[in-house]
Structures are given as structure tokens and as C-alpha cells.
Amino acid sequence: MLKMDSHIHSKYSPDSSSKIDDIIKVAKKENIDVIAISDHNTVDGTSEVIKKTRNTDILAIPSIEISSSEGHILGFGCEENIPRDLTPQDTIDRIHDLGGLAIIPHPYCFYRHGLLHKTDHKDLKIDAIETKNARFIVGYCNSKAKKLSISERIPELGASDAHYYKFVGDCYSLIDSQKDIDSILKAIKKGKTEAHGKGTSNILLSKYLFEKKILKKFD
Ligand SMILES: [Zn+2]
Ligand SMILES: [Zn+2]
């Protein structure tokens, strides 16, 4: 089984200051096999992490977190930028045209642009959802996503959504796959995944994100 954190932010997001080198260091310490930098509306971070992990034990999968008109969608496997503010299905079509998977992060989190808070999943061709987003381990956001994953047989993922590098790996997925991008995308689509992790401590989160003013805005 591969250990993967598919949703990490870097300094290329407006609300994070994490350096790619620091993210890689923590990923190694946490024995993570596969990481994806999923920055807001840019693949600059994902391009850098791919270059810096080449010929290492860590596999970096390209990714981007796109702000659709109704909420956030990960273009997992996408190496190119996709415009923001398109409708959710137009965004998903662009992701699929680029050979990526449409993953819905924090699907029911209404105060963080959770897509399924407003939109019915049945209207969309989604490939997977996060059922363990480390920043919302307490409360209904993750448990509601888990119920949807079970009842509708939508593949699940766990991810840190770390906006500060020390939180990388707080939640993660275990994937039954070989360690290459194509096999991992296929394994996710087939649901060969498990979501794990305890989540980011709210005390640490406020300490790092607010007192140190790492967050410019909460997104
Ligand atoms: Zn988001
Ligand atoms: Zn995010």
C-alpha cells in the first residue's frame, strides 16, 4: 500500500507560505510515498515539486485546486492551469480532457467553498471525494462525506490540506497501487483507497496560522 497526501498547499497559494523543500522534508519524515501540491488556481508549486522529487523515493503527482463558480475542485493529475470561476461541470470536463481526476475536497464544508454543500453530486461526473480532510476532522463535514462515499460508492481519499508544512501527512490515503502516476489514478478511480489520519490540532492550527500570520486569509 502506498501512503499519499494528495492535497498540500505551498507558497504559490495566496494563503500559504510553505516552501517546497520544507514540504518534501516533512513528507520524508512521515514516510509518505506520494505527494501532490494542490495550490489554489496554479500549477507553479506542482511543477516545482515534480522537479525537486525527480530521482528520489517520493513520487509527486501534478495537481491544482480550482475555484469553480460553486466551490473547490482538485484537478488531480493535471499539469496545466485550468481557469477559475467556470461552472463545476465545465471545470470537471477540462480536468478530464487533461487526463486528470476530479476530486472534491472538503465537500460539505460550507465556509471553505465545499462544492457539494450547494451542488448535488449526481449532476457531476466526480471521480473521488475527500472523506478525511485534516482541517475538519471534528464536526459533520467529514462524516457526511464518508456517508456519501459509502452510500454512492464514490472513492474516498484522506488529505492534510496543509497550508503550513508541519501539517503535511496529518490525514492521508493508503492506496493499493504500483508507484507510478497512471496506476495510482486508475486505483483511485476503482476505489482501491482508504482514508486515514487524526487531523490537524485546532490549537496548533490557530497558533501557526493566526498568531504567526501565516494565513493572509482563511481559505
Ligand atoms: Zn479548498
Ligand atoms: Zn486546499
Side-chain angles (χ1 to χ4, degrees):
M1 295 286 256
L2 297 174
K3 185 177 180 184
M4 177 176 86
D5 189 347
S6 47
H7 186 171
I8 302 165
H9 290 270
S10 76
K11 62 177 184 179
Y12 296 98
S13 287
D15 52 1
S16 171
S17 56
S18 301
K19 291 181 190 146
I20 300 288
D21 290 333
D22 289 331
I23 291 168
I24 294 170
K25 264 184 223 157
V26 177
K28 277 185 190 156
K29 199 177 115 232
E30 296 291 323
N31 295 315
I32 296 172
D33 303 293
V34 183
I35 58 172
I37 302 294
S38 304
D39 280 317
H40 295 293
N41 305 300
T42 176
V43 292
D44 290 351
T46 228
S47 305
E48 186 178 329
V49 79
I50 288 168
K51 275 186 210 132
K52 288 190 164 162
T53 51
R54 211 163 269 157
N55 304 318
T56 73
D57 287 343
I58 291 181
L59 173 69
I61 295 188
S63 187
I64 178 172
E65 182 169 22
I66 307 147
S67 303
S68 80
S69 60
E70 304 297 319
H72 290 175
I73 304 174
L74 293 195
F76 193 69
C78 295
E79 284 177 80
E80 290 174 33
N81 286 329
I82 291 171
R84 58 178 299 164
D85 300 321
L86 300 174
T87 65
Q89 193 53 56
D90 283 349
T91 308
I92 290 170
D93 288 344
R94 298 273 192 120
I95 292 168
H96 288 157
D97 287 348
L98 291 171
L101 300 183
I103 294 169
I104 311 304
H106 47 76
Y108 290 110
C109 196
F110 63 91
Y111 52 97
R112 290 188 65 231
H113 311 286
L115 182 68
L116 302 185
H117 175 63
K118 288 186 191 165
T119 309
D120 193 325
H121 73 94
K122 286 181 183 135
D123 298 333
L124 302 170
K125 292 180 193 148
I126 61 180
D127 299 302
I129 58 173
E130 286 178 357
T131 62
K132 280 206 170 194
N133 180 295
R135 295 174 65 193
F136 303 97
I137 210 76
V138 179
Y140 80 98
C141 299
N142 283 328
S143 58
K144 198 169 172 190
K146 180 81 180 180
K147 275 183 200 152
L148 180 74
S149 160
I150 293 167
S151 66
E152 301 294 307
R153 297 184 173 208
I154 301 170
E156 67 165 355
L157 291 172
S160 69
D161 200 356
H163 285 66
Y164 187 51
Y165 65 93
K166 289 197 175 176
F167 303 142
V168 167
D170 277 0
C171 280
Y172 56 91
S173 308
L174 291 180
I175 304 185
D176 184 4
S177 170
Q178 292 186 321
K179 198 171 162 185
D180 64 84
I181 294 177
D182 208 38
S183 303
I184 291 167
L185 296 187
K186 280 183 185 144
I188 293 171
K189 239 185 127 58
K190 284 184 188 161
K192 294 178 167 182
T193 61
E194 292 168 16
H196 291 276
K198 293 199 187 100
T200 297
S201 143
N202 284 333
I203 296 161
L204 277 181
L205 191 65
S206 29
K207 182 173 166 225
Y208 285 116
L209 300 188
F210 291 104
E211 282 178 18
K212 295 192 176 183
K213 298 195 185 346
I214 283 157
L215 262 189
K216 290 171 203 139
K217 68 186 180 74
F218 196 63
D219 199 9

